[in-house]
Amino acid sequence: MCRAMNMRNMKQQGLGLVEIMIAMVLGLVLTIGMTEIFIANKQAHKSQESLSHIQENARFAIETMARNIRMAGYMGCANLDAVPPNVIADPPPSGGFSAATAVMGSEVDDAGAWAPVYDGVAPVGVVKGTDVIRVGHADDCGAYLVGNMKSDNANIQVNSDNTCGFEQGDHLLITDCKNADLFRAGTVSVGASSGKLAIPHPMSVNIDNRLSTIYGPDARVYKFIQIDYYIKENPFGEPSLYRRSFGVEEELVEGIEDLEITYGEDETNDLTADRYVDANVVGTGAGQGWGKVTGVRVQLGLRSIRNNVALGDTTYVYDGANVTNRRLRQNTTFTVGLRNRSQ
């Protein structure tokens, strides 16, 4: 009889259907919870990674643009108001090099119209609804004359270590604080007997081979830089910050979709910006103009390279049309004072 009772007890051991169902539900709840935590962590990682890339791109763009804009109009020991350069380079820089052209800009509207019209050959493919800025300045790289020039059409001879990396065809600026000439270099080579770096300025790359004066060893030679900054789509269709120097274009930073610039005009001749206006408004006040711009305010619109990072759709105007995506977007603004303005 005891054996029969034990058999009945053994038949009742194990899990019933209800217990199994409860266990399955609990397991499913735990799995769903873990999955949601995993998805949330993954989304947070994507967002944080994209935000870090945006901030890194912003820092690089700000540092690069601010350095060039701040130096606009620099020409060594003199300034453009006191010593306007004699420009013989062929072709010359867009708009030349003067106090009125050291920094200039244009607005590109949603229809692709430029205001003011670009002075020279405008960059191609600029994103509609963005701005373009052009800056020109000398780059102080340590080149100095070795001895006097024999005549105003003689070769310019500088230190042979070529600290500036001068190359044939470069736009160069020479000045002794009283005179200045902007020309293009012919062949750049070190003389076998003299050991000096000889830089001719021939008619083949200049409108004249004669400089405005005969320079002595107190003169300095600079590489002249003129750069356009603008927004353009790269070969992969991503908007990027581009720069162009004498027709040579390069992509700087991917993921920048907007560039908005205002210019600070000095209305009271105290070298302080009294108002910030768009490029198509510069010069509309009495006695104003590009030569009176003493500050530049830049706003960059950045976006994540990845889509589907933001939690919801965002619709906005890009390149003259409405676009909708889930990219992270961030604006950053910085202001640069121009160092090389005079009373």
Side-chain angles (χ1 to χ4, degrees), residues 77-203:
C77 52
N79 66 66
L80 289 169
D81 290 308
V83 184
N86 173 47
V87 180
I88 62 172
D90 186 20
S94 297
F97 185 43
S98 66
T101 61
V103 58
M104 295 189 74
S106 294
E107 304 269 328
V108 184
D109 65 21
D110 289 342
W114 292 58
V117 176
Y118 186 89
D119 186 358
V121 180
V124 177
V126 176
V127 171
K128 298 173 185 176
T130 64
D131 294 350
V132 177
I133 184 172
R134 184 183 72 210
V135 295
H137 62 85
D139 185 22
D140 193 351
C141 45
Y144 54 89
L145 262 66
V146 182
N148 295 317
M149 296 175 60
K150 295 180 180 179
S151 63
D152 58 9
N153 64 345
N155 291 347
I156 296 171
Q157 296 184 330
V158 301
N159 43 308
S160 59
D161 52 358
N162 196 8
T163 53
C164 296
F166 293 141
E167 296 181 357
Q168 182 177 359
D170 281 349
H171 285 71
L172 305 181
L173 180 79
I174 183 171
T175 180
D176 59 3
C177 305
K178 296 174 292 185
N179 307 277
D181 288 86
L182 200 161
F183 64 95
R184 291 186 66 196
T187 56
V188 178
S189 59
V190 177
S193 59
S194 67
K196 302 173 183 177
L197 186 70
I199 306 176
H201 35 94
M203 291 283 291

Side-chain angles (χ1 to χ4, degrees), residues 274-304:
D274 298 297
R275 66 170 189 166
Y276 278 86
V277 296
D278 292 334
N280 57 355
V281 182
V282 172
T284 58
Q288 302 305 300
W290 290 105
K292 290 293 185 178
V293 171
T294 59
V296 177
R297 183 168 294 157
V298 181
Q299 177 179 297
L300 298 171
L302 300 101
R303 78 181 193 187
S304 61

Side-chain angles (χ1 to χ4, degrees), residues 7 57 149 153 187 211 215 231 248 278 306 309-310 312 329:
M7 291 296 294
N57 289 345
M149 296 175 60
N153 64 345
T187 56
L211 304 179
Y215 289 96
I231 306 299
V248 179
D278 292 334
R306 287 181 175 180
V309 179
R329 301 176 66 235

